[in-house]
Structures are given as C-alpha cells and as structure tokens.
Amino acid sequence: DIVLTQTPLSLSVTPGQPASMSCKSSQSLLHSDGRTYLFWYLQKTGQSPQLLIYEVSNRLSGVPDRFSGSGSGTDFTLEISRVEAEDVGIYYCMQGKQIPPFTFGPGTKVNIK
Amino acid sequence: QLVQPATEVRKPGASVKVSCTASGYNFNDYYLHWVRQAPGQGLEWMGRINTATGGTEYEEKFQARIAMTRDTSVSAAYLDLSALTSADTAIYYCARGGRLYTRGGFDVWGQGTMVSVSS
C-alpha cells in the first residue's frame, strides 16, 4: 500500500499570514494515464471532511483561491496564502493512484495563534 | 447530498448495517465509498461500491467481515460490518467518489453515523 506522510503534524498561524504543509508519498502518484491522483481535504471540528483540491492543484468549485496545491511525483504541498479563522481544522492528503486501497495521510492540524 | 442515521449502538460480536441515502444527483453514475474515523484518529478508507453494477472493492483488513450493497430503486447504499469489537467504535462516513471508472476525489460526504460497540 502507498503510505502518505504529512508534515508538520501541527501548525499555528497568525490570521492573514501564509501557511504551508507537506505530503510525501512512498511511491510516485503519477498514474499511467498521465494524471497524478493526490487530493487534499479539510475536516473542521465536528464536521465531515470536505474536498478542497483534486489531482494536485485543482480547486473544487467554491474553494477560496487562497488555497493552492502543488507538487509532483512523491512530494506535494498545500498552501494557504492568507489564513483566516475559518481555515482551522485538520488537513488530510489522500492518494488514489494505487487502489485499493485509497490511503490518507495522518493529517496536519492547523490552529490560529 | 448523502443522508445517514446519526447513531447505532451494538454489543461486541454483533453486526451493524449503516445506510446512506443519496439525493440531488444520478446515484448510478458515481462510486460510493465508506470511510471511518475512530475517536481522535484519522481517516480510514474501508471500501467502495460501483453503484451501477454492485461490484465492490474492500480494504484488505475488513475483507472477512464487510459487505457493501446498494439499492438503486431508492438511491441508497449500505455498509454491513460483522463481528464487531470495541475497536470498531467510530464515525462511519459515506462519500461520493468520482464518476464510475475514474479515480475522482470524494466530493460529497454524509454527516456520519456514530457506531458505538459496548457491552
């Protein structure tokens, strides 16, 4: 199975400042179809997860443009250009390249200073 | 949207069947996944069902005691988990995956069903 490692596990950010988090995969997530199946989710406290980014860098409709995803192969990054209070929660990356199973990273917890 | 019951309570050794009813889209066009989250823990993928054919793929650790089914007449999917132990105490989410035969992310989630296993 593909293992995803996320760093840091916890991040404390001042509102209006940027935030960045990493997701590293044990294998390349580039599929033979040319797509890279790396996704980012945010789970706010007491809520279901919500999909933010699909295939590395594509924002789901309605996701603010302060969220951006980048990376390739085994190394990926989610950046928030200016953190807002509503961005607090746990961010998970997930791979869909080698399935089953889909696998999630352990999460990065973001809170506000 | 995906609607799930809020809670289920079972004793160790019992089974649970969690429902997930879809609305607002063509149920037969998308995979339906099940993901669970133990208290204070991360997300764990359990398996998915092809809603058109009923074909399933499961995480290996659940193979012996899991079954996913669907009823297209009511746009509902079901997760059956047997031989429950306290380690199965978790929130169980259903989530819409990509269109059939694609590898899309999970863009619609149910509100989750809290399954408690206790004697």
Side-chain angles (χ1 to χ4, degrees), chain A residues 31 37 39 41 43 47-49 51 60 92 94 96-97 99-102 104, chain B residues 33 35 37 41-43 45 48 57 59 93 103-107 109-111:
Chain A
H31 193 269
Y37 292 104
F39 306 87
Y41 297 85
Q43 186 176 32
Q47 296 186 19
S48 304
L51 179 64
L60 204 68
Y92 295 96
M94 183 191 83
K97 184 238 179 172
I99 56 172
F102 288 81
F104 292 91
Chain B
H33 296 254
V35 176
Q37 186 171 38
Q41 302 300 307
L43 302 171
W45 183 81
R48 70 175 178 177
E57 292 170 290
E59 162 62 63
Y93 295 103
R103 296 164 181 264
F106 309 163
D107 64 344
W109 292 68
Q111 70 270 43

Side-chain angles (χ1 to χ4, degrees), chain B residues 3-90:
Chain B
V3 177
Q4 302 178 235
T7 61
E8 298 279 0
V9 180
R10 296 289 185 274
K11 293 189 184 304
S15 298
V16 67
K17 188 169 185 174
V18 181
S19 64
C20 173
T21 303
S23 63
Y25 72 95
N26 189 339
F27 180 74
N28 292 10
D29 283 350
Y30 295 82
Y31 288 106
L32 198 292
H33 296 254
W34 291 91
V35 176
R36 77 176 185 179
Q37 186 171 38
Q41 302 300 307
L43 302 171
E44 180 176 34
W45 183 81
M46 301 182 72
R48 70 175 178 177
I49 186 166
N50 178 321
T51 51
T53 66
T56 54
E57 292 170 290
Y58 302 135
E59 162 62 63
E60 192 172 346
K61 66 181 281 189
F62 299 113
Q63 288 272 5
R65 61 190 188 101
I66 194 173
M68 293 179 186
T69 56
R70 93 290 188 221
D71 183 343
T72 57
S73 68
V74 293
S75 298
Y78 306 93
L79 168 68
D80 229 307
L81 191 62
S82 61
L84 294 170
T85 72
S86 58
D88 295 312
T89 293

Side-chain angles (χ1 to χ4, degrees), chain A:
Chain A
D1 295 356
I2 291 179
V3 177
L4 299 179
T5 303
Q6 291 186 245
T7 56
L9 292 182
S10 182
L11 194 52
S12 190
V13 188
T14 301
Q17 293 301 302
S20 179
M21 62 198 79
S22 169
C23 176
K24 293 187 188 297
S25 174
S26 61
Q27 300 176 32
S28 173
L29 300 185
L30 175 62
H31 193 269
S32 57
D33 65 8
R35 297 174 184 257
T36 300
Y37 292 104
L38 187 281
F39 306 87
W40 289 98
Y41 297 85
L42 165 60
Q43 186 176 32
K44 300 180 181 181
T45 302
Q47 296 186 19
S48 304
Q50 57 188 95
L51 179 64
L52 297 177
I53 303 279
Y54 62 96
E55 293 178 29
V56 180
S57 59
N58 300 283
R59 277 190 306 277
L60 204 68
S61 176
V63 174
D65 61 8
R66 64 180 180 272
F67 290 93
S68 63
S70 62
S72 64
T74 60
D75 290 353
F76 303 93
T77 300
L78 178 69
E79 294 181 317
I80 311 172
S81 59
R82 295 172 304 279
V83 171
E84 297 187 7
E86 66 181 22
D87 301 335
V88 165
I90 302 176
Y91 291 79
Y92 295 96
C93 57
M94 183 191 83
Q95 70 83 23
K97 184 238 179 172
Q98 190 176 88
I99 56 172
F102 288 81
T103 51
F104 292 91
T108 291
K109 187 173 185 177
V110 172
N111 57 54
I112 297 294
K113 279 183 183 174

